[in-house]
Amino acid sequence: MDRLSSGPREVVAGLLGDERLLRACAERDMGAVFRMLNARGVSTRRIAAAVDITQGRLYDYMNGKSRVEKLTLFEQIADAFRIPGHLLGLARRPWEPGPETVGHRRADQAPPDGDDLVAMDHFRSADRQTGGGRLYGAVVRHLSDRVAPRLVDIGCGPHVFAAAAALTEMAGWMAHDSGHDDRAARHFARALLLARTSGDLALAAHIAASNSHLALETGDAAEAVGWARTGLDLAARGPRIPALTARLHTMRARALAVASQHAPAVHALETAHRDLEAPPAADHPWLSPFDTAALAGESALVLRDLEQYDEALTHAEQAVALREAGRARSLALSRIGLATVHLHRGNLDAAVGVGHDLLGTSPTLGSVRVARQLDGLRGLLKPHGGYRPVQEYLARFDEARRARMLLLADLIPPSPGGTTA
């Protein structure tokens, strides 16, 4: 007798938030689905009977000797185990809630995503000012305590998976901001899977852009280009959101510039600027804003890497001018970009002037990413230490850095030697 006498449907319902099941469904690997059911106490006899196949055929699927190929069998599996049709690339099954109930509630109830959207807005606002390192644990706890339990509710709609995807992606960015890029990559992978499960192509494209950024930050320009292309393909199949495609073209431009692909990088950047000027055909509550200031900052980096320093300076100055003080991390990153452009142009006085502005960045800003980029700027200035203004700045910088490192000690990952960076 099965350990779960209530049957395989209940077992599957409890697995709908498990990324292994979601991945198996996305890959249409029914053998993996059957193995998961069997591992949780559902006998092969019951599995075979539920989908009307022989146990011999079931063993072939479970052992990888053959794969489910026929549409009718996918439909039988979906109906037998109550796997939502969209997870297997099928139309909505007859037993699924209709469009009038999926993602909607009665007029006297709150919108289904209301609490999650409010939480997202609060986290996003705080992150801009304090940095992700101070908020990562809170986002992960919110996902664990408030979102994950709803994923295993048999009546949950695609909107719950979308909320989980968006908040998981946010956790990935906060991990990246804390210097934990491996952890960030795992969050982004899980977020993309959840977004695909929800059927939200725009959200999936948005997460692909985040993967592109992370690949570039970790030194893999080719992978960054690939992720940008994946995102553009996904975005082309969803509603037209110019800010989203602008971000994706920008990430592609940045990766191409790093790879010294001059003409393609310039073309991608020009496309990004055109897209951002276009009126949106749809709005999307889960996507992080990509605005003129963000595009200016990214454009400065692209043009810097292409050694077009005069044009880069124009965009870098615009990025700083457009960033309000309430966006502490973005303003700091924009100023670092501006200082590096001044250095490439050989204007040490201007670079030092921006550097002094950066010393006003709050030492409690929980962003290891900013701290490391500040160290990078110091490294660029150090060869010019014989110039008195640079020498004086480096002395002030080192004093401020000691305070910053003390306050970030709980966030900075240990180096291989066992000390903090």
Coordinates of all heavy atoms in Angstrom, one line a residue, residues 27-90:
E27 N 11.2 20.6 -19.3 CA 11.9 19.8 -20.3 C 11.1 18.7 -20.8 O 11.6 17.9 -21.6 CB 13.2 19.3 -19.6 CG 14.2 20.4 -19.2 CD 15.4 19.9 -18.4 OE1 15.4 18.7 -18.1 OE2 16.3 20.7 -18.1
R28 N 9.9 18.6 -20.3 CA 9.0 17.5 -20.7 C 9.6 16.1 -20.5 O 9.4 15.2 -21.2 CB 8.5 17.6 -22.2 CG 7.7 18.9 -22.5 CD 7.1 18.9 -23.9 NE 5.7 19.1 -23.8 CZ 4.9 18.9 -24.8 NH1 5.4 18.5 -26.0 NH2 3.6 19.1 -24.7
D29 N 10.3 16.0 -19.4 CA 10.9 14.8 -19.0 C 10.0 14.0 -18.0 O 10.1 14.2 -16.8 CB 12.3 15.1 -18.3 CG 13.1 13.8 -17.9 OD1 12.5 12.7 -18.1 OD2 14.2 14.0 -17.5
M30 N 9.1 13.3 -18.6 CA 8.1 12.6 -17.7 C 8.7 11.5 -16.9 O 8.2 11.1 -15.8 CB 7.0 12.0 -18.6 CG 6.2 13.1 -19.3 SD 5.4 14.3 -18.1 CE 6.5 15.6 -18.1
G31 N 9.8 10.9 -17.4 CA 10.5 9.9 -16.6 C 11.0 10.5 -15.3 O 10.8 9.8 -14.2
A32 N 11.5 11.7 -15.3 CA 11.9 12.3 -14.0 C 10.7 12.6 -13.1 O 10.8 12.4 -11.9 CB 12.6 13.7 -14.3
V33 N 9.5 13.0 -13.7 CA 8.3 13.2 -12.9 C 7.9 11.9 -12.2 O 7.6 11.9 -11.0 CB 7.2 13.8 -13.8 CG1 5.9 13.8 -13.0 CG2 7.6 15.1 -14.3
F34 N 7.9 10.8 -13.0 CA 7.5 9.5 -12.5 C 8.4 9.1 -11.4 O 8.0 8.5 -10.3 CB 7.5 8.5 -13.6 CG 6.5 8.7 -14.7 CD1 6.8 8.3 -16.0 CD2 5.3 9.3 -14.4 CE1 5.8 8.6 -17.0 CE2 4.4 9.6 -15.4 CZ 4.6 9.2 -16.7
R35 N 9.7 9.3 -11.5 CA 10.7 8.9 -10.5 C 10.5 9.7 -9.2 O 10.6 9.2 -8.1 CB 12.1 9.2 -11.0 CG 12.6 8.2 -12.0 CD 14.1 8.2 -12.2 NE 14.6 9.5 -12.7 CZ 14.7 9.9 -13.9 NH1 14.3 9.1 -14.9 NH2 15.1 11.1 -14.3
M36 N 10.1 11.0 -9.3 CA 9.8 11.8 -8.1 C 8.6 11.3 -7.4 O 8.6 11.2 -6.2 CB 9.7 13.3 -8.5 CG 10.9 14.0 -9.0 SD 10.7 15.7 -9.5 CE 10.4 16.4 -7.9
L37 N 7.6 10.9 -8.2 CA 6.4 10.4 -7.5 C 6.7 9.1 -6.8 O 6.3 8.8 -5.7 CB 5.3 10.1 -8.6 CG 4.5 11.4 -9.1 CD1 3.8 11.0 -10.3 CD2 3.6 11.9 -8.0
N38 N 7.5 8.2 -7.5 CA 7.8 6.9 -6.9 C 8.6 7.1 -5.6 O 8.5 6.4 -4.6 CB 8.5 6.1 -7.9 CG 8.8 4.6 -7.4 OD1 9.9 4.1 -7.5 ND2 7.7 4.0 -7.0
A39 N 9.6 8.1 -5.7 CA 10.4 8.3 -4.5 C 9.6 8.8 -3.3 O 10.1 8.7 -2.2 CB 11.5 9.3 -4.9
R40 N 8.5 9.3 -3.6 CA 7.6 9.9 -2.5 C 6.5 8.9 -2.1 O 5.5 9.3 -1.5 CB 7.1 11.2 -2.8 CG 8.1 12.3 -2.7 CD 7.9 13.5 -3.5 NE 8.9 14.5 -3.3 CZ 10.1 14.5 -3.8 NH1 10.5 13.5 -4.6 NH2 11.0 15.4 -3.5
G41 N 6.7 7.6 -2.5 CA 5.8 6.6 -1.9 C 4.7 6.2 -2.8 O 3.9 5.3 -2.5
V42 N 4.6 6.7 -4.1 CA 3.5 6.3 -5.0 C 4.1 5.1 -5.8 O 5.1 5.2 -6.5 CB 3.1 7.4 -5.9 CG1 2.0 7.0 -6.8 CG2 2.6 8.6 -5.1
S43 N 3.4 4.0 -5.7 CA 3.9 2.8 -6.4 C 3.9 2.9 -7.9 O 3.1 3.7 -8.5 CB 3.1 1.6 -6.0 OG 1.8 1.7 -6.5
T44 N 4.7 2.2 -8.6 CA 4.7 2.2 -10.0 C 3.4 1.6 -10.6 O 2.9 2.1 -11.6 CB 5.9 1.3 -10.6 OG1 5.8 0.0 -10.0 CG2 7.2 2.0 -10.2
R45 N 2.8 0.7 -9.8 CA 1.5 0.2 -10.3 C 0.4 1.3 -10.4 O -0.3 1.5 -11.3 CB 1.0 -0.9 -9.3 CG -0.4 -1.4 -9.6 CD -0.9 -2.4 -8.5 NE -0.9 -1.7 -7.2 CZ -1.9 -0.9 -6.8 NH1 -2.9 -0.6 -7.6 NH2 -1.8 -0.4 -5.6
R46 N 0.4 2.2 -9.3 CA -0.6 3.3 -9.3 C -0.3 4.3 -10.3 O -1.1 4.9 -10.9 CB -0.6 3.9 -7.9 CG -1.2 3.0 -6.8 CD -1.5 3.7 -5.5 NE -2.6 4.7 -5.7 CZ -3.0 5.4 -4.7 NH1 -2.4 5.4 -3.5 NH2 -4.0 6.3 -4.8
I47 N 1.0 4.6 -10.5 CA 1.4 5.6 -11.5 C 1.0 5.1 -12.9 O 0.4 5.9 -13.7 CB 2.9 5.9 -11.5 CG1 3.3 6.5 -10.2 CG2 3.3 6.8 -12.7 CD1 4.8 6.6 -10.0
A48 N 1.3 3.9 -13.2 CA 0.9 3.3 -14.5 C -0.6 3.3 -14.8 O -1.1 3.7 -15.8 CB 1.5 1.9 -14.7
A49 N -1.3 2.9 -13.7 CA -2.8 2.9 -13.8 C -3.3 4.3 -14.0 O -4.3 4.5 -14.8 CB -3.4 2.2 -12.6
A50 N -2.7 5.3 -13.4 CA -3.3 6.6 -13.4 C -3.2 7.2 -14.8 O -4.1 7.9 -15.3 CB -2.5 7.5 -12.5
V51 N -2.1 6.8 -15.6 CA -2.0 7.4 -16.9 C -2.3 6.4 -18.0 O -2.0 6.6 -19.2 CB -0.6 8.0 -17.1 CG1 -0.4 9.2 -16.2 CG2 0.5 7.0 -16.9
D52 N -2.8 5.2 -17.6 CA -3.2 4.2 -18.5 C -2.1 3.7 -19.4 O -2.2 3.6 -20.7 CB -4.4 4.7 -19.4 CG -5.1 3.6 -20.1 OD1 -5.1 2.4 -19.6 OD2 -5.8 3.9 -21.1
I53 N -1.0 3.3 -18.8 CA 0.1 2.6 -19.6 C 0.5 1.4 -18.8 O 0.2 1.2 -17.6 CB 1.3 3.6 -19.7 CG1 1.9 4.0 -18.4 CG2 1.0 4.8 -20.6 CD1 3.1 4.9 -18.5
T54 N 1.3 0.5 -19.4 CA 1.7 -0.7 -18.7 C 2.9 -0.3 -17.8 O 3.6 0.7 -18.0 CB 2.2 -1.7 -19.7 OG1 3.4 -1.3 -20.4 CG2 1.1 -2.1 -20.8
Q55 N 3.1 -1.2 -16.8 CA 4.3 -1.0 -16.0 C 5.6 -1.1 -16.7 O 6.6 -0.4 -16.4 CB 4.3 -1.9 -14.8 CG 3.3 -1.5 -13.7 CD 3.4 -2.3 -12.4 OE1 2.7 -3.3 -12.3 NE2 4.3 -1.9 -11.5
G56 N 5.6 -2.0 -17.7 CA 6.8 -2.1 -18.5 C 7.2 -0.8 -19.2 O 8.3 -0.4 -19.3
R57 N 6.1 -0.2 -19.8 CA 6.4 1.1 -20.5 C 6.8 2.2 -19.5 O 7.7 3.0 -19.8 CB 5.1 1.5 -21.2 CG 5.1 2.9 -21.9 CD 6.2 2.9 -23.0 NE 5.9 2.0 -24.1 CZ 5.1 2.2 -25.1 NH1 4.5 3.4 -25.2 NH2 4.9 1.3 -26.0
L58 N 6.2 2.1 -18.3 CA 6.5 3.1 -17.3 C 8.0 3.0 -16.9 O 8.7 4.0 -16.8 CB 5.7 2.9 -16.0 CG 6.0 3.8 -14.8 CD1 5.7 5.2 -15.1 CD2 5.2 3.3 -13.6
Y59 N 8.5 1.7 -16.8 CA 9.9 1.5 -16.4 C 10.8 2.0 -17.5 O 11.9 2.6 -17.2 CB 10.2 0.0 -16.2 CG 9.5 -0.6 -14.9 CD1 8.9 -1.8 -15.0 CD2 9.5 0.1 -13.7 CE1 8.3 -2.4 -13.8 CE2 8.9 -0.4 -12.6 CZ 8.3 -1.6 -12.7 OH 7.8 -2.1 -11.5
D60 N 10.4 1.9 -18.7 CA 11.2 2.5 -19.8 C 11.4 4.0 -19.7 O 12.4 4.5 -19.9 CB 10.6 2.1 -21.2 CG 10.8 0.6 -21.6 OD1 11.7 0.0 -21.0 OD2 10.1 0.2 -22.5
Y61 N 10.3 4.6 -19.4 CA 10.3 6.1 -19.2 C 11.2 6.4 -18.0 O 12.0 7.4 -18.0 CB 8.9 6.6 -19.0 CG 8.0 6.6 -20.2 CD1 6.6 6.2 -20.0 CD2 8.5 6.8 -21.4 CE1 5.8 6.2 -21.1 CE2 7.6 6.7 -22.5 CZ 6.3 6.4 -22.4 OH 5.5 6.3 -23.5
M62 N 11.0 5.7 -16.9 CA 11.7 6.0 -15.6 C 13.2 5.7 -15.8 O 14.0 6.4 -15.2 CB 11.2 5.2 -14.5 CG 9.7 5.6 -14.1 SD 9.0 4.6 -12.7 CE 10.1 5.0 -11.3
N63 N 13.6 4.7 -16.6 CA 15.0 4.4 -16.8 C 15.7 5.1 -17.9 O 16.8 4.9 -18.2 CB 15.1 2.9 -17.0 CG 14.7 2.1 -15.8 OD1 14.8 2.5 -14.7 ND2 14.2 0.9 -16.0
G64 N 14.9 6.0 -18.6 CA 15.5 6.8 -19.7 C 15.6 6.1 -21.0 O 16.3 6.6 -21.9
K65 N 15.0 4.9 -21.1 CA 15.1 4.1 -22.3 C 14.3 4.7 -23.4 O 14.5 4.5 -24.6 CB 14.7 2.6 -22.1 CG 15.7 1.9 -21.2 CD 15.3 0.4 -21.0 CE 16.3 -0.3 -20.2 NZ 15.9 -1.7 -20.0
S66 N 13.2 5.4 -23.0 CA 12.4 6.1 -24.0 C 11.7 7.3 -23.3 O 11.8 7.4 -22.1 CB 11.3 5.2 -24.5 OG 10.4 4.7 -23.5
R67 N 11.2 8.2 -24.1 CA 10.6 9.4 -23.6 C 9.2 9.6 -24.1 O 8.8 9.1 -25.2 CB 11.4 10.7 -24.1 CG 12.7 10.8 -23.4 CD 13.4 12.1 -24.0 NE 12.7 13.3 -23.7 CZ 12.9 14.1 -22.7 NH1 13.9 13.8 -21.8 NH2 12.3 15.2 -22.6
V68 N 8.3 10.2 -23.3 CA 7.0 10.5 -23.7 C 7.0 11.5 -24.9 O 7.7 12.5 -24.8 CB 6.1 11.1 -22.6 CG1 4.8 11.5 -23.1 CG2 6.0 10.1 -21.4
E69 N 6.4 11.2 -26.0 CA 6.4 12.0 -27.2 C 5.0 12.5 -27.6 O 4.8 13.6 -28.2 CB 7.1 11.3 -28.3 CG 8.5 10.9 -28.1 CD 9.5 12.1 -28.0 OE1 9.1 13.2 -28.4 OE2 10.7 11.9 -27.6
K70 N 4.0 11.6 -27.4 CA 2.7 11.9 -27.9 C 1.9 12.9 -27.1 O 1.9 12.9 -25.9 CB 1.9 10.6 -28.0 CG 2.4 9.5 -29.0 CD 1.5 8.3 -29.0 CE 2.0 7.3 -30.1 NZ 1.2 6.1 -30.1
L71 N 1.3 13.8 -27.8 CA 0.5 14.9 -27.2 C -0.6 14.3 -26.3 O -0.8 14.7 -25.1 CB -0.1 15.8 -28.2 CG -1.0 16.9 -27.7 CD1 -0.2 17.9 -26.8 CD2 -1.7 17.6 -28.8
T72 N -1.2 13.2 -26.8 CA -2.3 12.7 -26.0 C -1.8 12.1 -24.6 O -2.5 12.2 -23.6 CB -3.0 11.5 -26.8 OG1 -2.0 10.6 -27.2 CG2 -3.7 12.1 -28.0
L73 N -0.6 11.6 -24.6 CA -0.1 11.0 -23.4 C 0.3 12.2 -22.4 O 0.1 12.0 -21.2 CB 1.1 10.1 -23.6 CG 1.6 9.3 -22.4 CD1 0.5 8.6 -21.6 CD2 2.7 8.3 -22.8
F74 N 0.8 13.2 -22.9 CA 1.1 14.4 -22.1 C -0.2 14.9 -21.4 O -0.2 15.3 -20.3 CB 1.8 15.5 -22.9 CG 3.2 15.4 -23.1 CD1 3.7 15.2 -24.4 CD2 4.1 15.4 -22.0 CE1 5.1 15.0 -24.6 CE2 5.5 15.3 -22.2 CZ 6.0 15.1 -23.5
E75 N -1.2 14.9 -22.2 CA -2.5 15.4 -21.7 C -3.1 14.4 -20.6 O -3.6 14.8 -19.6 CB -3.5 15.5 -22.9 CG -3.2 16.6 -23.8 CD -4.1 16.7 -25.0 OE1 -4.7 15.6 -25.4 OE2 -4.2 17.7 -25.6
Q76 N -2.9 13.1 -20.9 CA -3.3 12.1 -19.9 C -2.5 12.3 -18.5 O -3.1 12.2 -17.5 CB -3.1 10.7 -20.4 CG -4.0 10.2 -21.4 CD -3.7 8.9 -22.0 OE1 -3.8 8.6 -23.2 NE2 -3.2 8.0 -21.1
I77 N -1.2 12.6 -18.6 CA -0.4 12.8 -17.5 C -0.9 14.0 -16.7 O -1.0 14.0 -15.5 CB 1.1 12.8 -17.8 CG1 1.5 11.5 -18.4 CG2 1.9 13.3 -16.7 CD1 2.9 11.5 -19.0
A78 N -1.0 15.1 -17.5 CA -1.5 16.4 -16.8 C -2.8 16.2 -16.1 O -3.0 16.6 -15.0 CB -1.6 17.5 -17.9
D79 N -3.7 15.5 -16.8 CA -5.1 15.3 -16.2 C -5.0 14.3 -15.0 O -5.7 14.5 -14.0 CB -6.1 14.8 -17.2 CG -6.3 15.9 -18.3 OD1 -6.0 17.0 -18.1 OD2 -6.8 15.5 -19.4
A80 N -4.2 13.3 -15.1 CA -4.2 12.3 -14.0 C -3.6 12.9 -12.7 O -4.0 12.6 -11.6 CB -3.4 11.1 -14.5
F81 N -2.5 13.7 -12.9 CA -1.8 14.2 -11.7 C -2.1 15.7 -11.4 O -1.6 16.2 -10.5 CB -0.3 14.1 -11.9 CG 0.2 12.7 -12.2 CD1 1.2 12.4 -13.1 CD2 -0.5 11.6 -11.6 CE1 1.6 11.1 -13.3 CE2 -0.1 10.3 -11.8 CZ 1.0 10.1 -12.7
R82 N -3.1 16.3 -12.2 CA -3.4 17.7 -12.0 C -2.2 18.6 -12.1 O -2.0 19.5 -11.3 CB -4.1 17.9 -10.6 CG -5.5 17.3 -10.6 CD -6.5 17.9 -11.6 NE -7.9 17.6 -11.4 CZ -8.5 16.6 -12.1 NH1 -7.9 15.9 -13.0 NH2 -9.8 16.4 -11.9
I83 N -1.4 18.4 -13.2 CA -0.3 19.2 -13.5 C -0.9 20.3 -14.4 O -1.4 20.1 -15.5 CB 0.8 18.5 -14.2 CG1 1.4 17.4 -13.3 CG2 1.9 19.5 -14.6 CD1 2.4 16.5 -14.0
P84 N -0.8 21.6 -14.0 CA -1.3 22.7 -14.8 C -0.8 22.6 -16.2 O 0.4 22.4 -16.5 CB -0.9 24.0 -14.1 CG -0.7 23.6 -12.7 CD -0.2 22.1 -12.7
G85 N -1.7 22.8 -17.2 CA -1.3 22.6 -18.6 C -0.1 23.4 -19.1 O 0.7 23.0 -19.8
H86 N 0.0 24.7 -18.6 CA 1.1 25.6 -19.0 C 2.5 25.0 -18.6 O 3.5 25.3 -19.3 CB 0.9 27.0 -18.5 CG 1.1 27.2 -17.1 ND1 0.1 27.0 -16.2 CD2 2.2 27.5 -16.3 CE1 0.5 27.2 -14.9 NE2 1.8 27.6 -15.0
L87 N 2.5 24.2 -17.6 CA 3.8 23.6 -17.2 C 4.3 22.7 -18.2 O 5.6 22.4 -18.3 CB 3.7 22.9 -15.8 CG 3.4 23.8 -14.6 CD1 3.4 23.0 -13.3 CD2 4.3 25.0 -14.5
L88 N 3.4 22.0 -19.0 CA 3.8 21.1 -20.0 C 3.7 21.6 -21.4 O 3.7 20.8 -22.4 CB 3.0 19.8 -19.8 CG 3.3 19.0 -18.5 CD1 2.3 17.8 -18.3 CD2 4.7 18.5 -18.5
G89 N 3.4 22.9 -21.5 CA 3.2 23.4 -22.9 C 1.9 23.1 -23.5 O 1.8 23.1 -24.7
L90 N 0.9 22.8 -22.6 CA -0.4 22.4 -23.1 C -1.4 23.6 -22.9 O -1.1 24.5 -22.1 CB -0.9 21.2 -22.3 CG 0.0 20.0 -22.4 CD1 -0.6 18.9 -21.4 CD2 0.1 19.4 -23.8

